[in-house]
Every structure is written in structure tokens, then in C-alpha cells.
């Protein structure tokens, strides 16, 4: 049993040390007071965390600080479970909490390798135009996935939307916000979502999409894209209204986006509550003493 606990601690130390310069200690020399449990239960986060680009890193560092002050074996296990949960669900926690649908049948690009040739030779990071290509490819797959997996009854009509055969979609404008310069080697995952509720859509000829481009190496958004899309009739050479089958699916997608947003925001809230509990039980209390270790003679 002791050997198993020791192995768990060693593995947990390796995970946290990647994101924190702290030298963690696992066993506290201070007892956990009853007030610590009460404080943790009295002051949970009152609303879902407004996640930022460095949320995952900061959560890991907060856990690392708890370990530095010392955790009991059950707390070590709880910290490990949180880290495993983050490692498994980080895409959903970041993108899903914003309403992006991240399941296999919905995602545009998934862990696509960044090619060395996609970097700019002068500044040594992925060329700015490449991000636009990532979003463009993911947008095509966004529509193709609906045709293949979601609404096969209208498969041909959906596939025609990305071809000049009849009624299709054209990119009218695009705005991209670059968050940090990606470099080789890396992988990208790209998701799309509807911006507006279709039932309240102001224009019957156009719709807006947003894309999030995630860096797998950094586990955070590398860029965000806003796309203004127009529905166009290639045979009549003029814009046209959204086909009914598109409107129906867009309403379903919007409802799923709202569910995903609420679900993953709640998951963030749960993680915040767990981490806060560890903080109160370790360093954030009056009698907290950092575990500096001891040597037996």
C-alpha cells in the first residue's frame, strides 16, 4: 500500500512540475482544522468561471502550491483526479464552455499536425494566412459533418452548399484575432459555432460563425475567427434565403450549443470548487506551515 501511494505521489509531482517551478511536498506538518472544511463549504464560487486563455495553467499552478504546503494522501489522490480530468477534457473545458460542440461528429479539425513549411521563414512562427486556411478547412468539415453524420436525408443539399452547383455559401468577410504565435511542432484542433440564435436572426440571407483554433502543445486558443457567411444562388447569380433544411438544423445546433455551454461551465465551477477546497485545507489558513521536509538521523 505504501509503495502504491508513493508511486501516485511521484506521478502527480511529474505532472505539476511541468507547469510550476514549485518543489512540491506531499505531507503537511500542520493538522487540518475544522474551520478549513467549513470555509471551503461556505465560500464556493457563486458563478461559472469566466475562463481565460491561461485558466488551465493557473489551475495546475494552484494545485502545485497546495502540494508545496503539504497534502494528505486522500488530498493527493483528489488533486491527481483533478489533473487527470483536466488532461482528458481540456478542449471541452475551453471550447465547450463557450458553446462549441466538440464531439467527434461535429468537430472540424482534430489534432491536425502543423507542418514545418507552414511557418514563416523570417519570423519563425506559423504564417498568419495559415490560420485562415485552418478555419476555412474546418468550416467545410463543419458543413460536411452535418451532411454525413447529422442530417443524411439532405446529404446532397448540404454537400452542394460548399460547391458552385446551386445554392451555396460564400465567405463575405472574416476577422481573426491572433492570440500567440504557434510554432512547429504542434497540432491544431478547430471548432465552429453559430453566433446568433436562428430564431432571432436578423438577416435571412446571411449568418455568422465563430471558430476557435486550439494549440494542442499549449492547450489554449492560438486564434479566434469571426466569419460572415452569405447564402448564394450560383444559377441565378444572386444571394438567396437560407433553405428550410438548413434553418431546421441550425436551430437544433443552437440549442445544443446552449446546453454544452451550460454543462461545461458547470464543470469549470466544479473544478474551481475542488481546487479552492484544497487551497483552504493546505496553505490558505492561519495555521498553515510550508512543509520543508525533514531528515531522520
Amino acid at each position: 500500500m505504501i509503495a502504491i501511494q508513493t508511486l501516485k505521489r511521484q506521478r502527480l509531482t511529474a505532472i505539476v512540475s511541468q507547469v510550476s517551478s514549485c518543489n512540491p511536498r506531499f505531507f503537511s506538518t500542520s493538522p487540518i482544522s475544522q474551520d478549513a472544511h467549513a470555509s471551503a463549504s461556505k465560500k464556493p464560487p457563486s458563478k461559472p468561471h469566466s475562463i481565460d486563455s491561461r485558466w488551465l495553467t493557473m489551475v495546475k499552478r494552484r494545485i502545485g502550491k497546495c502540494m508545496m504546503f503539504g497534502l494528505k494522501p486522500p488530498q493527493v489522490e483528489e488533486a491527481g483526479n483533478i489533473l487527470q480530468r483536466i488532461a482528458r477534457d481540456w478542449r471541452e473545458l475551453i471550447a465547450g464552455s463557450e458553446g462549441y460542440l466538440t464531439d467527434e461528429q461535429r468537430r472540424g479539425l482534430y489534432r491536425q499536425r502543423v507542418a514545418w513549411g507552414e511557418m514563416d521563414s523570417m519570423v519563425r512562427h506559423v504564417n498568419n494566412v495559415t490560420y485562415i486556411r485552418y478555419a476555412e478547412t474546418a468550416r467545410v468539415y463543419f458543413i460536411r459533418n452535418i451532411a454525413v453524420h447529422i442530417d443524411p436525408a439532405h446529404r446532397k443539399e448540404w454537400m452542394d452548399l460548399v460547391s458552385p452547383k446551386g445554392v451555396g455559401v460564400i465567405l463575405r468577410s472574416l476577422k481573426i484575432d491572433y492570440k500567440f504565435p504557434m510554432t512547429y511542432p504542434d497540432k491544431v484542433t478547430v471548432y465552429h459555432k453559430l453566433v446568433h440564435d436562428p430564431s432571432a436572426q436578423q438577416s435571412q440571407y446571411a449568418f455568422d460563425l465563430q471558430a476557435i483554433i486550439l494549440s494542442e502543445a499549449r492547450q489554449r486558443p492560438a486564434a479566434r475567427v469571426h466569419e460572415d457567411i452569405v447564402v448564394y444562388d450560383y444559377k441565378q447569380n444572386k444571394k438567396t434565403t437560407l433553405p428550410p433544411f438548413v434553418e431546421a438544423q441550425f436551430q437544433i445546433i443552437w440549442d445544443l450549443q446552449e446546453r454544452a455551454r451550460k454543462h461545461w461551465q458547470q464543470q469549470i465551477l466544479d473544478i474551481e470548487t475542488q481546487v479552492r477546497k484544497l487551497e483552504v485545507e493546505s496553505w490558505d489558513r492561519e495555521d498553515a506551515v510550508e512543509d520543508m521536509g525533514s531528515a531522520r538521523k
Side-chain angles (χ1 to χ4, degrees):
M1 181 63 71
I2 295 176
I4 294 176
Q5 290 180 353
T6 302
L7 180 59
K8 286 183 178 180
R9 295 184 200 120
Q10 291 174 345
R11 293 177 63 186
L12 193 56
T13 304
I15 294 173
V16 176
S17 63
Q18 294 176 1
V19 295
S20 175
S21 59
C22 300
N23 182 22
R25 304 283 184 174
F26 295 93
F27 293 98
S28 175
T29 57
S30 305
I32 298 174
S33 65
Q34 294 297 323
D35 293 339
H37 294 284
S39 177
S41 60
K42 288 180 180 178
K43 297 181 180 179
S46 59
K47 60 182 179 179
H49 190 284
S50 180
I51 192 168
D52 60 33
S53 61
R54 298 181 183 273
W55 179 77
L56 290 175
T57 299
M58 296 308 299
V59 167
K60 294 174 185 177
R61 287 178 177 171
R62 288 169 63 190
I63 294 174
K65 184 174 181 179
C66 294
M67 294 165 62
M68 180 179 68
F69 273 79
L71 295 177
K72 302 295 184 182
Q75 297 166 333
V76 172
E77 184 174 358
E78 183 177 1
N81 290 337
I82 296 172
L83 291 173
Q84 290 177 0
R85 182 179 180 184
I86 290 173
R88 182 190 67 229
D89 297 335
W90 71 270
R91 300 176 194 85
E92 287 75 17
L93 291 167
I94 293 176
S97 64
E98 296 182 16
Y100 290 95
L101 302 179
T102 59
D103 60 275
E104 186 175 353
Q105 294 184 344
R106 299 280 186 178
R107 60 198 183 200
L109 293 180
Y110 182 68
R111 293 176 56 82
Q112 176 167 303
R113 293 182 181 275
V114 172
W116 184 88
E118 291 174 335
M119 289 200 301
D120 191 299
S121 60
M122 294 184 63
V123 293
R124 289 297 183 182
H125 64 68
V126 173
N127 188 282
N128 289 351
V129 176
T130 303
Y131 293 82
I132 298 175
R133 290 173 179 165
Y134 292 152
E136 178 184 51
T137 302
R139 184 172 67 252
V140 172
Y141 276 105
F142 172 79
I143 295 175
R144 182 182 181 278
N145 286 340
I146 298 175
V148 175
H149 303 296
I150 311 302
D151 188 21
H154 297 95
R155 175 168 180 160
K156 182 180 183 302
E157 291 89 340
W158 281 105
M159 297 300 288
D160 285 348
L161 287 178
V162 290
S163 67
K165 295 180 179 179
V167 175
V169 292
I170 295 178
L171 180 66
R172 178 164 58 183
S173 66
L174 178 145
K175 179 180 182 295
I176 183 166
D177 293 325
Y178 299 99
K179 299 303 179 181
F180 72 89
M182 281 195 303
T183 58
Y184 171 89
D186 202 342
K187 297 177 183 177
V188 294
T189 293
V190 186
Y191 303 113
H192 272 82
K193 71 174 182 179
L194 296 171
V195 178
H196 304 294
D197 184 346
S199 64
Q201 185 78 21
Q202 294 183 350
S203 174
Q204 57 181 329
Y205 304 103
F207 59 94
D208 294 322
L209 295 176
Q210 285 181 351
I212 185 171
I213 301 174
L214 298 177
S215 162
E216 294 281 323
R218 302 282 285 274
Q219 292 190 340
R220 63 188 181 96
R224 294 178 180 273
V225 186
H226 187 104
E227 302 168 337
D228 180 11
I229 311 292
V230 173
V231 185
Y232 192 79
D233 189 331
Y234 284 94
K235 293 181 179 179
Q236 299 294 326
N237 291 323
K238 64 179 182 179
K239 64 182 180 181
T240 187
T241 58
L242 274 173
F245 71 91
V246 174
E247 289 183 332
Q249 281 301 318
F250 276 8
Q251 190 61 57
I252 294 173
I253 290 172
W254 177 262
D255 294 339
L256 291 174
Q257 287 181 183
E258 289 299 289
R259 292 182 197 174
R261 179 180 60 81
K262 293 177 182 178
H263 172 77
W264 289 108
Q265 283 186 356
Q266 183 60 49
Q267 300 306 303
I268 291 174
L269 178 60
D270 293 344
I271 291 173
E272 288 283 348
T273 301
Q274 288 180 288
V275 174
R276 183 60 190 144
K277 179 174 178 288
L278 288 176
E279 289 175 331
V280 172
E281 292 176 346
S282 57
W283 65 267
D284 195 10
R285 52 194 173 92
E286 292 183 359
D287 61 337
V289 177
E290 183 177 354
D291 183 2
M292 303 302 294
S294 60
R296 292 184 178 180
K297 295 183 179 179

